[in-house]
C-alpha cells in the first residue's frame, strides 16, 4: 500500500520538485490567500483584515521554515550539491541555510508589522501579499544557479519592493521614493543584463557550474571527452581516484602554460584572449548587485528611499533583502568565477572600504533616524564586502556570520522605531522620527530604551555583545591574507562610526531636558520576540560557535563540484 | 521562383509604406503606413522562415506600440504643420547624410554577404530538400519545446512576476474614493416613473 502511494507520488511530483518545495508552498499560499481575501472583501468595504492576514503570512513562513528544516535533502546537501530543473536550481547547504533564515526573519517581520499597519494607514491587504511575493523572489534567488533565473528572481523581488516603497499614495514622499527606487532598480537591471549578455556571448553558457568548470578544466576532463565521448563527464570521479589520483586541478590558464596542450579549441572552441570580456561582464553584474546592496558609490538612492517610504516597507528593504544578494555574490564570485579572483577582489575591497568610509562619516551630522540607519546599513554592507574580498573560506564564513548578526540587530532597531507611537491627540502624527524624539525614553519606557541601547552597543561593536565578534571576524580573513591596508582603514572608520551609535545612547539616557515625548507601551507578544532577539545578541557572544560552525560547513561545501564530487581547487589558501 | 516574386512584392510595398510615412501630412495616416511597414516586414520574415520573430513583430509592434502611438496622437490633437514648404531646404543636407550612411552600409553588405559565383552556372546543385519540406519543425514549435522543457521554472516565475505587477498596478492606479463611484440601486430605478422625468423639464 505504501509502496503504491509512493509510486503514485512519483508520478504526480517529479523528483526535481523536491528541491523547491518551500517555494512551491509559498507560491500556492500566495495564490490561495489572494483568492480567499478577494472573495471576503468583495462585498464588504472597510474590513480591517491586515492583522489576521499578516499573522497568516507569518504562519506560512514559519511552516516553510519547518519544511526546510525537516527536508532529508538538507543533510545530504552538506557533502553534495543537487542540481535540478536542467541545472538552473542548486540545492546545497548555502541555499538551505539562507532560505531558512530568510523565512524565519520575514516571519518575525510579519509579526512585528501586524499591529502598526493600521496606525500607518496601510490597511489594504495587497501590501502583505506583495511582501510575500518579494519573499518568494528572494527565496528563489538563494537557490538559483543560473544567470537567467537569478535575473528573474531579482526582478520578482524588486518589482514588489518598488510597489512597497510607493504604497502610501497620499504621501508625496512615498511616491517620490518609489519612483527613485524604480529608476535605480532599472539601471541595476540594465547593468545585470548587459553583463550577462557579455558572459553568455563569450562563454556560451549561463550556468554557474559551467563557468566554474571552464576555469577549472583539468586533464581528466579532456581524457573523458576523448575516450568516452558518449558518456561525457559523468564517471570522471572514478578516474580521479584511480588514474589521476594526484588530481591536478590547475587552472585553465596554467594548464595551457605548463602542458602546452592544444585541446582548448576542442573543449571550448575559443582561446584565452576572450576572457577579458567575461571579466567585464562579471564587473557589470557585480555593479548591479552593489546597487541593490546600497554599497557606497551606489548608495545614494537608499537614503531617500529609506526616508521617504513607509516605515514598515523600509524595515523590509533594510533587513530582509540584503541576504539573498549576498548569496548571489557568493555564488558568482566564490563559486563560479573564483579563478579570476585577482580581477574581482579589487572591486570588493575598494567598494567595501569606501562604503565604510561613507557610512561612517555621512552619519555624523545626520539627525533623521531613518537616514542615519541607512548610512549605518551602508557601512555594514562595506564590512561584508571586504570580508568577501579577502577571497578565503574564512571570508565567506565571516560574511555570512556578519549578515545574520546584522539581520538580528537591525531587526531590533527598526522594529523599536516602528513600535514607538506618539501619545498625542488631534495632531497629525509624524511618522519619521528624529534623534531628539527619543530623549527621555529611559523614563517613559525603561525596557525599550535598554533594548535600544544594547542593540546600539552591539552594532557599534562593544565587547560583551555579539557585534564585537562580527567585526572581529571580518578583519580576521583580511589579515590572514595580508590585506593590511583595507583592514587598518576600516578599523579606523569603524571607530569613527561608533560616535553616532553612542550618541543615540547619550540621547536616550543623558539628555538634559525636562519634557520628553510620551509613547504608547508595546504589547506582550512583541515584547517577547524583541527580548528573545536581544538575548540572542548576548547569547551569541557567549557561544558564537553555533553560528561559526554552520557558516564554516557552508563555506567548505561551496566548492564541491556537482559532477565529479571532488572538492577543491588545489591552490586554495587553506591555512595561511 | 515563387518566393522571389513574393519577396519583390513585399519589399516594394514596404519601401512604399516607409516613403508614405514621411510624406503623408496627417500624423494618423503616417502612423497607419507605419503599421503597414511592420506588417510587410513581418511578411518578409515569414518568407525567411523566422515565424516567431514575424509573429512578435505583429503582436508587439502593431498590437502594442503602434496603437499606443495612435492613442497618444489622438489625445494630443496636434494641428498638422505644413512641413512640405521647408522640405526643399533640407534636401541637400539630407542627401549628404544619405551618402554618408549608404556607403558604409553597402560596404558591409558586400563584405559579409558573398554570393556564390557558381549560382548561375549549370553546376550549381539545385536540389529540393524534401525531408525538410515534409517533416519540418517550425520556429514557434521549437521555442515552445525549449521553453516548456528546459525553462519551465523561468517561465513560471515570469508569469508570477506578471501577476505581481498586475496587483501592484491595480492598487497604485485605482483610487478607492467612494464618493466618485456611481452605483446602481435597483429599488431607485424601479420606483421611477414618468412623472420624475417630466417634472425636471417642467422646471419644478
Amino acid at each position: 500500500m505504501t509502496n503504491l502511494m509512493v509510486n503514485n507520488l512519483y508520478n504526480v511530483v517529479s523528483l526535481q520538485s523536491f528541491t523547491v518545495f518551500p517555494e512551491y508552498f509559498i507560491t500556492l499560499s500566495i495564490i490561495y490567500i489572494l483568492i480567499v481575501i478577494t472573495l471576503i472583501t468583495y462585498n464588504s468595504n472597510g474590513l480591517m483584515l491586515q492583522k489576521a492576514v499578516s499573522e497568516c503570512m507569518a504562519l506560512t513562513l514559519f511552516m516553510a521554515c519547518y519544511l526546510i528544516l525537516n527536508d532529508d535533502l538538507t543533510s545530504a546537501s552538506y557533502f553534495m550539491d543537487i542540481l535540478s530543473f536542467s541545472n538552473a536550481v542548486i540545492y546545497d547547504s548555502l541555499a538551505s541555510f539562507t532560505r531558512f533564515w530568510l523565512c524565519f526573519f520575514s516571519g518575525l517581520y510579519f509579526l512585528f508589522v501586524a499591529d502598526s499597519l493600521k496606525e500607518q494607514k496601510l490597511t489594504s491587504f495587497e501590501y502583505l501579499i506583495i511582501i510575500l511575493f518579494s519573499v518568494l523572489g528572494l527565496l528563489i534567488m538563494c537557490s538559483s544557479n543560473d544567470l537567467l533565473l537569478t535575473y528573474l528572481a531579482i526582478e520578482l523581488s524588486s518589482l514588489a519592493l518598488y510597489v512597497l516603497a510607493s504604497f502610501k499614495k497620499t504621501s508625496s514622499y512615498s511616491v517620490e521614493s518609489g519612483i527613485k527606487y524604480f529608476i535605480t532598480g532599472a539601471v541595476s537591471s540594465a547593468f545585470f543584463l548587459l553583463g550577462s549578455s557579455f558572459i553568455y556571448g563569450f562563454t556560451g553558457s549561463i550556468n554557474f557550474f559551467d563557468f566554474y568548470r571552464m576555469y577549472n578544466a583539468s586533464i581528466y576532463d579532456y581524457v573523458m571527452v576523448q575516450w568516452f565521448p558518449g558518456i561525457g563527464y559523468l564517471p570522471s570521479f572514478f578516474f580521479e581516484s584511480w588514474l589521476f589520483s594526484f588530481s591536478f586541478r590547475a587552472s585553465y590558464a596554467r594548464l595551457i602554460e605548463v602542458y602546452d596542450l592544444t585541446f582548448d579549441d576542442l573543449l571550448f572552441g575559443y582561446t584565452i584572449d576572450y576572457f577579458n570580456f567575461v571579466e567585464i561582464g562579471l564587473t557589470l553584474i557585480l555593479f548591479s548587485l552593489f546597487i541593490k546592496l546600497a554599497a557606497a558609490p551606489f548608495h545614494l538612492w537608499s537614503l531617500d528611499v529609506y526616508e521617504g517610504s513607509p516605515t514598515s516597507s523600509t524595515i523590509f528593504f533594510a533587513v530582509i533583502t540584503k541576504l539573498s544578494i549576498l548569496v548571489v555574490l557568493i555564488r558568482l564570485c566564490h563559486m563560479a568565477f573564483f579563478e579570476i579572483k585577482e580581477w574581482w577582489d579589487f572591486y570588493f575591497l575598494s567598494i567595501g572600504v569606501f562604503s565604510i568610509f561613507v557610512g561612517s562619516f555621512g552619519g555624523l551630522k545626520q539627525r533623521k533616524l531613518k537616514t542615519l540607519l541607512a548610512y549605518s546599513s551602508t557601512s555594514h554592507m562595506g564590512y561584508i564586502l571586504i570580508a568577501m574580498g579577502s577571497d578565503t573560506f574564512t571570508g565567506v564564513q565571516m560574511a555570512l556570520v556578519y549578515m545574520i548578526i546584522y539581520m538580528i540587530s537591525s531587526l531590533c532597531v527598526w522594529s523599536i522605531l516602528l513600535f514607538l507611537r506618539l501619545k498625542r491627540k488631534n495632531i497629525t502624527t509624524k511618522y519619521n522620527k528624529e534623534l531628539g524624539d527619543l530623549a527621555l525614553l529611559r523614563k517613559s519606557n525603561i525596557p525599550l530604551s535598554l533594548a535600544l541601547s544594547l542593540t546600539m552597543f552591539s552594532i557599534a561593536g562593544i565587547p560583551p555583545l555579539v557585534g564585537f565578534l562580527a567585526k572581529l571576524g571580518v578583519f580576521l580573513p583580511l589579515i590572514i591574507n595580508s590585506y593590511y591596508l583595507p583592514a587598518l582603514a576600516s578599523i579606523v572608520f569603524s571607530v569613527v562610526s561608533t560616535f553616532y551609535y553612542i550618541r543615540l545612547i547619550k540621547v536616550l539616557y543623558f539628555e538634559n531636558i525636562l519634557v520628553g515625548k510620551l509613547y504608547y507601551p508595546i504589547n506582550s507578544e512583541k515584547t517577547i520576540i524583541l527580548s528573545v532577539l536581544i538575548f540572542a545578541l548576548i547569547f551569541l557572544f557567549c557561544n558564537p560557535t553555533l553560528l561559526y560552525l554552520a557558516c564554516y560547513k557552508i563555506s567548505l561545501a561551496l566548492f564541491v563540484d556537482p559532477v565529479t564530487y571532488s572538492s577543491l581547487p588545489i591552490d586554495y589558501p587553506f591555512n595561511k | 521562383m515563387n518566393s522571389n516574386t513574393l519577396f519583390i512584392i513585399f519589399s516594394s510595398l514596404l519601401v512604399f509604406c516607409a516613403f508614405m510615412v514621411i510624406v503623408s501630412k496627417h500624423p494618423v495616416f503616417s502612423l497607419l503606413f507605419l503599421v503597414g511597414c511592420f506588417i510587410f516586414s513581418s511578411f518578409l520574415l515569414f518568407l525567411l522562415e523566422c515565424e516567431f520573430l514575424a509573429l512578435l513583430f505583429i503582436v508587439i509592434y502593431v498590437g502594442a506600440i503602434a496603437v499606443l502611438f495612435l492613442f497618444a496622437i489622438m489625445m494630443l490633437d496636434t494641428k498638422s504643420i505644413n512641413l512640405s514648404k521647408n522640405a526643399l531646404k533640407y534636401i541637400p543636407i539630407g542627401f549628404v547624410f544619405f551618402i554618408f550612411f549608404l556607403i558604409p552600409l553597402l560596404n558591409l553588405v558586400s563584405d559579409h554577404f558573398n554570393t556564390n559565383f557558381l549560382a548561375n552556372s549549370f553546376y550549381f546543385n539545385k536540389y529540393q530538400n524534401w525531408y525538410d519540406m515534409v517533416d519540418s519543425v517550425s520556429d514557434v514549435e521549437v521555442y515552445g519545446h525549449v521553453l516548456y522543457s528546459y525553462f519551465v521554472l523561468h517561465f513560471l516565475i515570469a508569469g508570477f512576476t506578471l501577476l505581481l505587477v498586475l496587483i501592484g498596478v491595480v492598487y497604485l492606479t485605482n483610487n478607492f474614493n467612494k464618493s466618485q463611484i456611481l452605483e446602481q440601486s435597483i429599488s431607485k430605478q424601479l420606483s421611477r416613473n414618468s412623472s420624475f422625468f417630466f417634472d425636471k423639464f417642467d422646471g419644478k
Side-chain angles (χ1 to χ4, degrees):
Chain A
M1 184 62 196
T2 13
N3 202 4
L4 192 70
M5 274 177 67
V6 167
N7 283 339
N8 284 339
L9 187 68
Y10 280 120
N11 286 337
V12 176
V13 184
S14 62
L15 193 60
Q16 63 177 358
S17 306
F18 280 85
T19 53
V20 286
F21 258 164
E23 281 89 347
Y24 274 1
F25 176 66
I26 289 177
T27 310
L28 288 179
S29 48
I30 286 173
I31 294 169
Y32 181 75
I33 292 170
L34 187 64
I35 292 171
V36 167
I37 297 180
T38 313
L39 289 179
I40 289 174
T41 55
Y42 182 66
N43 278 325
S44 51
N45 281 312
L47 208 59
M48 292 288 192
L49 278 173
Q50 67 275 1
K51 189 163 161 51
V53 175
S54 56
E55 273 161 6
C56 168
M57 297 200 165
L59 182 69
T60 309
L61 287 168
F62 287 133
M63 280 158 84
C65 279
Y66 182 75
L67 272 180
I68 295 166
L69 271 186
N70 274 12
D71 204 336
D72 286 339
L73 291 179
T74 309
S75 51
S77 67
Y78 276 106
F79 55 89
M80 60 194 278
D81 302 327
I82 300 157
L83 297 178
S84 57
F85 288 101
S86 61
N87 297 351
V89 170
I90 181 171
Y91 192 96
D92 60 348
S93 51
L94 179 66
S96 60
F97 179 81
T98 48
R99 283 195 298 180
F100 173 77
W101 284 111
L102 202 68
C103 287
F104 182 73
F105 282 115
S106 9
L108 286 187
Y109 164 78
F110 274 116
L111 287 181
F112 277 145
V113 297
D115 288 325
S116 63
L117 286 178
K118 189 181 165 192
E119 188 236 344
Q120 293 184 79
K121 301 190 178 102
L122 299 169
T123 47
S124 50
F125 70 92
E126 287 97 338
Y127 187 75
L128 297 158
I129 285 185
I130 286 168
I131 294 175
L132 205 59
F133 267 107
S134 177
V135 173
L136 176 68
L138 296 173
L139 283 182
I140 296 168
M141 215 191 294
C142 284
S143 56
S144 63
N145 190 34
D146 179 312
L147 284 174
L148 191 57
L149 191 66
T150 311
Y151 173 72
L152 283 170
I154 288 175
E155 280 306 298
L156 178 60
S157 67
S158 50
L159 278 171
L161 298 185
Y162 309 146
V163 181
L164 289 185
S166 57
F167 207 80
K168 200 183 245 175
K169 290 181 295 185
T170 50
S171 148
S172 56
Y173 289 111
S174 169
V175 174
E176 182 205 341
S177 70
I179 290 171
K180 269 180 186 160
Y181 203 177
F182 179 71
I183 290 169
T184 40
V187 170
S188 153
S189 299
F191 272 132
F192 193 95
L193 285 181
L194 186 63
S196 310
S197 68
F198 277 169
I199 290 177
Y200 178 64
F202 284 89
T203 63
S205 172
I206 52 173
N207 196 292
F208 289 168
F209 270 117
D210 285 351
F211 303 145
Y212 172 76
R213 297 184 66 76
M214 183 181 78
Y215 283 104
N216 284 295
S218 59
I219 191 119
Y220 58 76
D221 295 335
Y222 172 68
V223 169
M224 285 316 295
V225 170
Q226 290 299 305
W227 292 356
F228 307 100
I231 306 170
Y233 290 124
L234 270 175
S236 57
F237 65 94
F238 175 64
F239 269 88
E240 188 186 13
S241 56
W242 173 61
L243 195 59
F244 299 101
S245 53
F246 45 93
S247 168
F248 37 102
R249 291 204 139 272
S251 71
Y252 182 61
R254 202 165 306 144
L255 204 67
I256 290 173
E257 284 170 16
V258 175
Y259 299 104
D260 199 23
L261 294 173
T262 52
F263 63 83
D264 53 332
D265 292 321
L266 291 172
L267 269 182
F268 306 112
Y270 46 79
T271 49
I272 201 152
D273 297 327
Y274 289 119
F275 275 35
N276 279 332
F277 252 99
V278 176
E279 287 164 358
I280 291 168
L282 177 67
T283 313
L284 287 169
I285 291 177
L286 287 187
F287 282 177
S288 93
L289 294 174
F290 290 155
I291 291 175
K292 295 279 178 208
L293 273 184
F298 316 107
H299 71 295
L300 287 166
W301 61 272
S302 76
L303 309 173
D304 290 341
V305 168
Y306 285 13
E307 186 68 33
S309 45
T311 311
S312 49
S313 311
T314 313
I315 298 178
F316 194 79
F317 303 156
V319 181
I320 312 285
T321 56
K322 314 259 175 175
L323 178 63
S324 312
I325 305 286
L326 176 70
V327 175
V328 174
L329 278 178
I330 289 174
R331 284 206 196 290
L332 264 178
C333 295
H334 281 264
M335 202 176 76
F337 291 107
F338 187 74
E339 285 299 319
I340 48 170
K341 55 181 178 294
E342 294 85 4
W343 178 265
W344 52 255
D345 67 355
F346 165 72
Y347 293 102
F348 276 83
L349 287 173
S350 57
I351 286 174
V353 171
F354 192 60
S355 314
I356 298 169
F357 171 73
V358 168
S360 313
F361 283 91
L364 287 183
K365 290 201 74 176
Q366 199 54 246
R367 298 199 72 84
K368 293 177 192 160
L369 268 179
K370 282 162 99 177
T371 315
L372 184 70
L373 289 177
Y375 274 117
S376 154
S377 115
T378 298
S379 74
H380 288 310
M381 290 308 123
Y383 290 116
I384 288 170
L385 289 185
I386 57 168
M388 296 266 297
S390 67
D391 41 63
T392 48
F393 275 137
T394 333
V396 178
Q397 180 196 0
M398 291 305 167
L400 278 171
V401 169
Y402 198 98
M403 197 67 192
I404 301 296
I405 291 167
Y406 163 77
M407 282 171 90
I408 297 173
S409 52
S410 61
L411 193 62
C412 284
V413 177
W414 282 103
S415 57
I416 289 171
L417 278 197
L418 188 69
F419 294 155
L420 291 175
R421 286 195 297 138
L422 272 181
K423 215 170 189 177
R424 282 191 297 186
K425 280 178 186 171
N426 299 330
I427 301 171
T428 49
T429 39
K430 191 173 68 170
Y431 294 108
N432 289 356
K433 294 180 184 63
E434 292 186 1
L435 215 55
D437 293 348
L438 294 177
L440 285 184
L441 188 69
R442 80 179 154 110
K443 285 200 173 166
S444 58
N445 199 337
I446 300 161
L448 207 59
S449 68
L450 184 67
L452 188 54
S453 55
L454 275 180
T455 321
M456 276 299 159
F457 273 128
S458 166
I459 293 176
I462 308 293
L465 293 157
V466 76
F468 171 71
L469 287 181
K471 271 187 187 168
L472 189 74
V474 164
F475 300 132
L476 186 68
L478 284 175
I479 291 170
I480 287 175
N481 226 5
S482 332
Y483 289 117
Y484 295 120
L485 190 64
L488 197 69
S490 44
I491 288 171
V492 171
F493 293 147
S494 87
V495 173
V496 174
S497 70
T498 314
F499 169 73
Y500 58 80
Y501 298 128
I502 305 289
R503 186 172 67 178
L504 201 75
I505 299 166
K506 177 229 160 199
V507 169
L508 281 176
Y509 277 89
F510 308 110
E511 201 68 87
N512 259 336
I513 54 170
L514 294 175
V515 184
K517 299 215 162 101
L518 211 53
Y519 292 100
Y520 282 106
I522 64 176
N523 62 12
S524 55
E525 178 197 0
K526 288 178 198 162
T527 317
I528 291 168
I529 302 172
L530 194 63
S531 45
V532 166
L533 285 180
I534 300 287
F535 176 71
L537 289 182
I538 303 167
F539 174 73
L540 282 177
F541 181 80
C542 305
N543 195 358
T545 20
L546 282 179
L547 211 52
Y548 279 159
L549 274 184
C551 295
Y552 185 60
K553 269 180 170 179
I554 289 164
S555 61
L556 282 182
L558 263 184
F559 294 94
V560 176
D561 193 323
V563 183
T564 58
Y565 295 117
S566 62
S567 61
L568 288 168
I570 201 166
D571 52 344
Y572 200 84
F574 274 110
N575 294 313
K576 259 194 206 168
Chain B
M1 176 66 189
N2 210 355
S3 149
N4 265 348
T5 328
L6 284 176
F7 178 80
I8 290 167
I9 292 171
F10 288 140
S11 50
S12 54
L13 277 171
L14 174 62
V15 171
F16 170 73
C17 280
F19 186 69
M20 288 305 284
V21 170
I22 304 166
V23 170
S24 62
K25 281 173 186 167
H26 203 278
V28 176
F29 283 127
S30 63
L31 199 73
L32 283 178
F33 279 113
L34 191 67
V35 171
C37 274
F38 289 138
I39 289 174
F40 288 125
S41 48
S42 86
F43 285 171
L44 284 182
L45 285 171
F46 262 118
L47 286 183
L48 295 172
E49 299 181 8
C50 308
E51 295 93 350
F52 185 67
L53 209 58
L55 287 175
L56 273 191
F57 253 67
I58 289 184
V59 170
I60 292 171
Y61 282 112
V62 180
I65 294 177
V67 173
L68 207 70
F69 273 135
L70 198 65
F71 271 120
I73 288 170
M74 285 160 78
M75 293 278 208
L76 286 174
D77 193 31
T78 47
K79 283 168 190 161
S80 58
I81 310 153
N82 203 355
L83 290 170
S84 56
K85 273 182 193 170
N86 295 329
L88 212 64
K89 264 198 293 189
Y90 296 123
I91 279 181
I93 191 84
F95 189 74
V96 169
F97 273 103
F98 172 70
I99 296 295
F100 275 137
F101 283 118
L102 196 68
I103 290 170
L105 195 70
L106 288 180
N107 250 335
L108 273 179
V109 170
S110 62
D111 279 357
H112 289 273
F113 296 94
N114 289 327
T115 50
N116 191 350
F117 62 93
L118 288 175
N120 290 323
S121 74
F122 174 73
Y123 304 106
F124 188 62
N125 191 5
K126 284 178 185 159
Y127 75 101
Q128 189 68 268
N129 193 349
W130 287 105
Y131 185 76
D132 271 0
M133 300 279 277
V134 175
D135 189 26
S136 68
V137 181
S138 70
D139 212 6
V140 187
E141 214 174 331
V142 171
Y143 280 118
H145 278 304
V146 172
L147 204 58
Y148 282 97
S149 54
Y150 293 106
F151 293 98
V152 171
L153 200 67
H154 307 69
F155 192 59
L156 283 176
I157 292 169
F160 220 61
T161 313
L162 277 182
L163 175 65
L164 163 73
V165 171
L166 186 76
I167 294 171
V169 164
V170 166
Y171 175 78
L172 286 179
T173 54
N174 239 342
N175 53 343
F176 298 102
N177 240 339
K178 275 216 74 181
S179 58
Q180 290 179 358
I181 297 171
L182 297 175
E183 284 182 344
Q184 182 187 28
S185 95
I186 294 168
S187 61
K188 231 179 206 173
Q189 284 176 348
L190 288 179
S191 63
R192 266 166 82 104
N193 53 17
S194 60
S195 65
F196 268 132
F197 186 71
F198 289 115
D199 283 354
K200 270 186 189 166
F201 285 92
D202 289 345
K204 283 176 186 177

